[in-house]
Amino acid sequence: MQRFKQIALILQLDQNNNQAIEYATSITKTNHANLTVICAHRSKLSDLNQQHISNTLEQQLLVKYDIAFLIGHPVIEITTYCHINKIDLAILAADNARGMKRFFFGSLCMSLIRKAPCPIWVTRPIQGNHYKRILICVDPCAEDSNKQTLNTKLIEIGTSFAQYETAECHIVCAWNLPEESTLTSPFIRTPEHVINELKMNKKMEVATAYQALQQKFAVRLANCQTHLIYGEPVKAISQFTVEHKIDLVIMGTLARSGTYGFVMGNTAEAIINQLECSIMAIKPDGFASPLVHVKY
């Protein structure tokens, strides 16, 4: 967790920010980091409202901080601010619309996960004052260097965070046969024993790849529980988080290269939309937000 030295707390005036404030305070203290509170609004807040926000923060934040009142489209203004000020972690609360019990990743959360240049930590309410179970999603079969580097970041950040929270650490790799639906279609009707053999070969491939990853990070992964899950990733991972009562999922958003850098993949976005716990979404090295290019 020591890698986070420039932290942003994104204040949402229509949400309960208490847990996000608590974690921002805690991480800032532990890392001896700089904290900036960002309040972005489409129109300028009155001096009275700004003073009220400042007074409230003084009572809740027990660390030194700066505050930035931004005017304009919140996603563009926050993303640009994070880019210019080299923010390396942004924290905000998940949305709770119209009194619904279920907290979810609304437009601001999802837009920042897609476009902001830094890791985004979206907090949801939990029982107690810390996370008990943390899940790290990795792709041990990654051949692309960017995906391999992203695996490294996920493991380093996730295991450090689990240690910081004294939480259980779970490593999950969801795998399947992408061609299985085709092989089992009425037009092909591949024999069951052939499909089973393909599954077994794929399982061995994933296990061997993860073993190599485990050896590379032997010290960090020593106390982690490993789960190689067969199934469609979106369903498998979301189901795992429910069954194991996961409090925080740490995952990457890498899919493919876009015009200005990497863009978020459909699978990653689908997984995030299915989760009912907190999430930390990590960007790959070399990510460049298209919104920064739009504004400048």
Side-chain angles (χ1 to χ4, degrees):
M1 296 300 290
Q2 290 296 324
R3 69 169 62 217
F4 300 131
K5 295 298 184 181
Q6 300 292 335
I7 298 172
L9 168 63
I10 299 170
L11 206 63
Q12 300 186 79
L13 300 183
D14 58 345
Q15 303 297 334
N16 183 337
N17 298 282
N18 290 343
Q19 190 173 64
I21 290 173
E22 289 177 10
Y23 270 113
T25 301
S26 178
I27 296 294
T28 299
K29 280 183 178 179
T30 301
N31 290 8
H32 303 288
N34 298 315
L35 175 65
T36 300
V37 179
I38 299 176
C39 184
H41 203 264
R42 289 183 179 273
S43 57
K44 186 178 185 301
L45 295 174
S46 68
D47 292 342
L48 185 62
N49 283 335
Q50 290 190 25
Q51 188 60 50
H52 175 71
I53 292 170
S54 298
N55 292 341
T56 302
L57 288 172
E58 283 182 12
Q59 298 173 14
Q60 293 182 292
L61 281 170
L62 305 178
V63 293
K64 182 180 178 181
Y65 64 93
D66 295 316
I67 185 166
F69 290 101
L70 307 180
I71 305 170
H73 191 291
V75 176
I76 295 177
E77 297 303 324
I78 293 169
T79 297
T80 302
Y81 185 94
C82 290
H83 170 73
I84 292 174
N85 294 277
K86 302 186 186 307
I87 298 297
D88 46 32
L89 177 65
I91 307 172
L92 72 161
D95 297 333
N96 179 215
R98 299 173 185 171
M100 292 174 62
K101 291 184 179 180
R102 184 184 177 193
F103 286 71
F104 68 102
F105 300 110
S107 58
L108 179 61
C109 295
M110 286 304 302
S111 294
L112 291 176
I113 288 173
R114 294 186 194 108
K115 305 299 184 184
C118 58
I120 301 294
W121 178 6
V122 183
T123 66
R124 278 176 165 157
I126 58 171
Q127 293 183 345
N129 56 5
H130 69 93
Y131 297 134
K132 298 179 178 65
R133 287 165 289 274
I134 292 175
L135 170 64
I136 307 170
C137 300
V138 298
D139 178 10
C141 296
E143 297 180 357
D144 179 87
S145 60
N146 292 307
K147 291 184 178 180
Q148 292 173 353
T149 302
L150 185 56
N151 274 339
T152 298
K153 290 177 69 174
L154 291 168
I155 291 171
E156 289 178 350
I157 292 172
T159 53
S160 295
F161 201 84
Q163 184 178 16
Y164 172 78
E165 288 283 275
T166 61
E168 290 180 9
C169 184
H170 297 263
I171 306 289
V172 160
C173 172
W175 64 276
N176 62 1
L177 286 177
E179 69 274 19
E180 184 174 1
S181 60
T182 301
L183 294 174
T184 56
S185 70
F187 300 101
I188 298 180
R189 295 181 181 177
T190 305
E192 185 176 352
H193 74 275
V194 174
I195 293 177
N196 289 338
E197 184 177 352
L198 290 172
K199 287 182 180 180
M200 182 61 66
N201 291 339
K202 182 65 176 181
K203 182 177 181 180
M204 291 176 61
E205 177 189 342
V206 173
T208 301
Y210 182 77
Q211 188 175 27
L213 198 64
Q214 197 170 35
Q215 290 175 352
K216 181 179 179 181
F217 299 99
V219 176
R220 285 188 172 274
L221 298 178
N223 297 318
C224 297
Q225 301 178 40
T226 303
H227 312 269
L228 305 181
I229 307 173
Y230 177 78
E232 192 275 323
V234 176
K235 182 178 180 180
I237 292 174
S238 60
Q239 184 175 337
F240 183 94
T241 62
V242 174
E243 292 176 350
H244 290 77
K245 299 180 180 179
I246 299 298
D247 298 309
L248 172 68
V249 171
I250 298 177
M251 63 179 291
T253 61
L254 174 62
R256 55 186 172 83
S257 293
T259 305
Y260 298 109
F262 301 102
V263 298
M264 185 168 170
N266 292 333
T267 299
E269 185 162 344
I271 291 171
I272 290 171
N273 280 323
Q274 290 294 316
L275 296 177
E276 297 185 8
C277 59
S278 299
I279 182 170
M280 187 181 292
I282 309 297
K283 304 294 195 306
D285 291 342
F287 177 88
S289 173
L291 292 188
V292 173
H293 292 269
V294 167
K295 185 164 184 177
Y296 293 95

